[in-house]
Amino acid sequence: MNKTIKSMTALFAAAAVTVTSFAACSKNEEINGIDPSAPVAHIENPPNGKKDLFTIKYSDFFGEYNFFMARGGYTEENDAELALSQRDNVIKYLAQERIILYLAEQAGITEETFTEEEKKTIEDTVKENVDSWCSSYRSDAVNELGETYTEEELYNKELELFTAFLAESGLTADIFRTWEVNGLIREKLVAAVSDDLSAETVNAFVQDTIDQAKEKYETDLATFEKSYTAFYIPEGSRRVQQILVKIDDTSISEVAAYRKDGDDEKADEVLNAALEKVKHRIDEAYSKLESGESWETVQAEYNDETDTNGTDYTVYPKSTVVKAEVINAAMGISDVGGYSGICKSDSGYFIIRYSGDAEISEERLEELNRQGREFLANEETYNKITSFMETYPYIYDYDLLGLEEGSLEITTASEETTAQ
């Protein structure tokens, strides 16, 4: 298996998005000369006679699409690339949403199975969202009401204006409830898939990822530090803290610029001059540590990067990110609790404290297993959707969708595996 734990949320994220060039209309009127009931996607022979479920009408597509475009102030004329991308996103989202609802129903998950607490949470969230939208119309509402009005009248006017805005996309405020209900059904389906995953499967996946991380540390350090540090801590790694006495920002920038240009002689000249100005502070800090003052006290007084006070960070025996002088200082300390001598870098003088050995804790392993289970559940759910679409392919009306012919063809599971 050649995969890392990553988020699959985007596969199910609501692509509820929209285009102000569309004319306002009601459900029964034509939209840009198109019958709202015209199917933009359907399945010819769907399972269990679910033809209506798997028929996406132009009004369904238009509402989601136009709402996004309108709320962002986008137009097809000025934002053609975005508009095209959202047409693609919306129809894919709507197609997958119907498959999720079907798969969930087959698993016994429907709105009717929601608990009273879940139903209340949905209603509260919908009210919150609608109220938030309504408040964005407050100044317009005040202008229309004049000087005298009650709080109830103000809210009703805000709601009226927001409702009119939704109507331009052929929507009502009920769409917010639909999104919440379908979102919870989706979560429950993924949770059901997760419950079916054995601990052995999850553990094997996590261990495989840990093994990959170890291999990356040995062969591709940059990739390891970019993507795999959560899964593996190399042997000999240490948790450290620092006291950094910085040179002035102008000198830091000049040194960096000279280094970039390959003029190390000039860089060292600027650096040494700047270091001389702050040498007394690092000497004071080191002297206080030597006289027995606590690390915490000295760090609080002298560390110029105060956001790192009391904070450990991990230093690996080799790194492309952490500077060599920091690694050498950290690895050169004999005992836990000990500290380095005074070292210098292009940022200033520093002292490193060896806080403890770095290792993956039991809590971290538990978290990796939780993330691994979440990833596998999302992936398996996506595979179920893909498998369904392979068996029951959607037929798209590319002309009505405004998309290039064939652009919505799916990648099969076998093709995806080969690509990976």
Side-chain angles (χ1 to χ4, degrees), residues 347-418:
S347 298
Y349 286 109
F350 65 90
I351 303 169
I352 295 292
R353 179 176 182 269
Y354 177 11
S355 303
D357 295 324
E359 57 185 15
I360 296 286
S361 66
E362 287 299 319
E363 291 79 9
R364 181 58 191 159
L365 280 175
E366 289 178 6
E367 176 62 14
L368 288 179
N369 273 271
R370 185 196 68 75
Q371 291 178 1
R373 179 175 290 277
E374 180 181 334
F375 171 79
L376 289 173
N378 275 300
E379 185 180 60
E380 179 59 22
T381 304
Y382 176 65
N383 288 340
K384 287 178 180 292
I385 293 171
T386 303
S387 177
F388 182 95
M389 294 180 78
E390 290 173 354
T391 305
Y392 302 99
Y394 272 98
I395 299 172
Y396 298 99
D397 189 321
Y398 287 96
D399 287 337
L400 290 185
L401 290 169
L403 295 172
E404 183 180 346
E405 187 76 29
S407 62
L408 297 169
E409 295 300 320
I410 65 170
T411 300
T412 66
S414 59
E415 291 170 338
E416 217 167 74
T417 301
T418 301

Side-chain angles (χ1 to χ4, degrees), residues 116-244:
E116 291 304 315
E117 183 179 357
E118 288 169 339
K119 292 176 183 177
K120 184 178 185 307
T121 298
I122 286 174
E123 299 308 323
D124 290 345
T125 302
V126 170
K127 185 177 187 309
E128 218 174 275
N129 290 336
V130 171
D131 286 352
S132 176
W133 268 97
C134 286
S135 66
S136 68
Y137 287 86
R138 179 145 302 177
S139 60
D140 292 336
V142 169
N143 288 337
E144 290 199 23
L145 289 171
E147 296 182 358
T148 306
Y149 53 83
T150 66
E151 282 299 315
E152 182 179 2
E153 288 171 335
L154 176 60
Y155 179 80
N156 287 339
K157 177 55 70 173
E158 291 170 350
L159 181 59
E160 177 187 323
L161 294 173
F162 176 47
T163 300
F165 170 73
L166 286 173
E168 292 179 3
S169 298
L171 299 174
T172 70
D174 289 341
I175 192 64
F176 288 91
R177 187 176 186 283
T178 298
W179 288 336
E180 292 299 321
V181 168
N182 291 350
L184 183 54
I185 288 175
R186 180 175 62 243
E187 289 177 17
K188 285 177 171 286
L189 176 61
V190 175
V193 172
S194 175
D195 289 342
D196 289 337
L197 293 171
S198 69
E200 291 76 15
T201 297
V202 175
N203 290 338
F205 174 72
V206 173
Q207 186 57 55
D208 179 72
T209 307
I210 291 172
D211 291 342
Q212 289 181 51
K214 183 175 181 180
E215 188 269 335
K216 289 296 181 185
Y217 178 73
E218 298 297 335
T219 63
D220 188 355
L221 193 56
T223 299
F224 168 79
E225 292 185 294
K226 180 180 179 181
S227 305
Y228 285 89
T229 57
F231 309 107
Y232 174 66
I233 296 180
E235 185 177 352
S237 298
R238 294 182 169 186
R239 291 185 294 109
V240 303
Q241 292 189 16
Q242 71 170 20
I243 293 172
L244 173 64

